[in-house]
Amino acid sequence: MDIRTTVERARRLKQLHAQYQPLVLPTVWDVWSARTAAAAGFAALTIGSHPLADSRGAEDQEGQTFEEVLAAVRPIIAAVDIPVSVDLEAGYGQQPADLVAGLTEVGGVGLNVEDTVHSEGGRVRSTQEHASYIAGLRAAADDAGIPVWINGRTDLFIHTQDPAGVLDEAIERLRAMEQAGADSVYPVRIQDNDELLTAVVDAVGVPVNSTAHPVKHDLERFRRLGVGRITYGPLLQMAATDAIKEMLGPWAP
């Protein structure tokens, strides 16, 4: 994609985050789903690692190489004329500069990066290690002259039986990401807990990303809680799967 178009889309994505509270970014996985979401009126999209992997018969959690992911997302990004962010998991073992270069070369203008390093046995990066990785991404984007939107994700709430018990650590981690240059932060797996979501929103100065189910959740609730950004993760694909099964059921032998 032409560099000028990429820069324009990156700037547009930043404007959209300021314009909408929250900004809803449908999580898509192929050209069809991207075009469908764009036709529904959404101004930007995100490509999720889980639904992308499922659509390709691959495993989530870095079951594809970075090169395979780039090859898969290139036609999706090219199929729409709106900004697209890409879930790049923990970075596929890439240096920050290489991750940003690959993303922007295929036209991606935002990225999601998590602190669970699947290629290294699923270990969780330390607060400082993850912040340093995000700082590297920020520097690489600045050097490229492309305001890539960085969504810093933590999986601390996934890795515990007591989410409230890791709240302070999660907030410390999210603040470190913000200070390192993350444009938004993403504490995964607390979308149904009003108290935890509110605590996180109140603790940081950038938009907080929450996962949402397109059927089971309510947009107004997230707005009331102060959530600044919504993505669906694999839940849109799962909802579509359920709807297709229901439609096809009467036709099955």
Side-chain angles (χ1 to χ4, degrees):
M1 182 175 293
D2 180 86
I3 183 64
R4 290 172 296 181
T5 301
T6 302
V7 171
E8 288 172 2
R9 290 190 183 186
R11 290 173 176 166
R12 178 59 178 155
L13 184 59
K14 184 175 183 178
Q15 293 169 351
L16 290 168
H17 278 90
Q19 180 178 350
Y20 290 94
Q21 296 295 325
L23 175 64
V24 180
L25 298 164
T27 305
V28 300
W29 55 91
D30 61 9
V31 168
W32 167 79
S33 58
R35 286 177 172 167
T36 299
F42 288 94
L45 306 172
T46 185
I47 298 172
S49 67
H50 189 162
L52 180 70
D54 276 359
S55 74
R56 293 167 53 80
E59 293 293 326
D60 189 27
Q61 302 182 346
E62 301 196 354
Q64 301 180 84
T65 66
F66 184 44
E67 291 73 20
E68 289 170 336
V69 169
L70 292 180
V73 303
R74 183 190 293 272
I76 303 173
I77 294 169
V80 294
D81 60 1
I82 56 178
V84 179
S85 180
V86 182
D87 179 0
L88 294 179
E89 305 198 65
Y92 306 99
Q94 301 293 308
Q95 292 299 312
D98 295 328
L99 201 74
V100 168
L103 171 73
T104 55
E105 195 277 327
V106 299
V109 296
L111 63 90
N112 184 81
V113 61
E114 63 196 56
D115 52 9
T116 302
V117 187
H118 304 289
S119 62
E120 298 178 18
R123 73 174 184 88
V124 179
R125 289 182 178 130
S126 70
T127 295
Q128 187 54 54
E129 182 187 8
H130 196 49
S132 295
Y133 194 83
I134 286 174
L137 294 171
R138 179 82 284 146
D142 290 347
D143 289 345
I146 304 172
V148 174
W149 187 275
I150 300 173
N151 189 42
R153 167 176 154 170
T154 182
D155 292 346
L156 286 187
F157 293 111
I158 294 178
H159 297 306
T160 181
Q161 296 297 316
D162 178 24
V166 299
L167 176 61
D168 290 345
E169 183 182 356
I171 286 175
E172 178 186 3
R173 184 165 294 229
L174 296 171
R175 284 174 171 167
M177 290 187 231
E178 177 183 359
Q179 292 169 5
D183 299 289
S184 56
V185 292
Y186 187 10
V188 177
R189 200 67 68 82
I190 60 171
Q191 63 264 24
D192 293 313
N193 191 312
D194 287 16
E195 184 175 346
L196 292 180
L197 268 177
T198 299
V200 168
V201 168
D202 290 344
V204 297
V206 293
V208 172
N209 191 129
S210 178
T211 309
H213 190 288
V215 177
K216 298 176 182 179
H217 283 133
D218 175 52
L219 177 59
E220 289 306 315
R221 168 180 165 265
F222 288 112
R223 181 175 288 120
R224 185 176 67 253
L225 294 173
V227 169
R229 169 180 161 124
I230 290 174
T231 52
Y232 295 137
L235 301 182
L236 175 60
Q237 189 183 61
M238 290 178 180
T241 299
D242 291 340
I244 290 171
K245 286 180 178 178
E246 184 176 350
M247 286 187 291
L248 292 178
W251 297 84

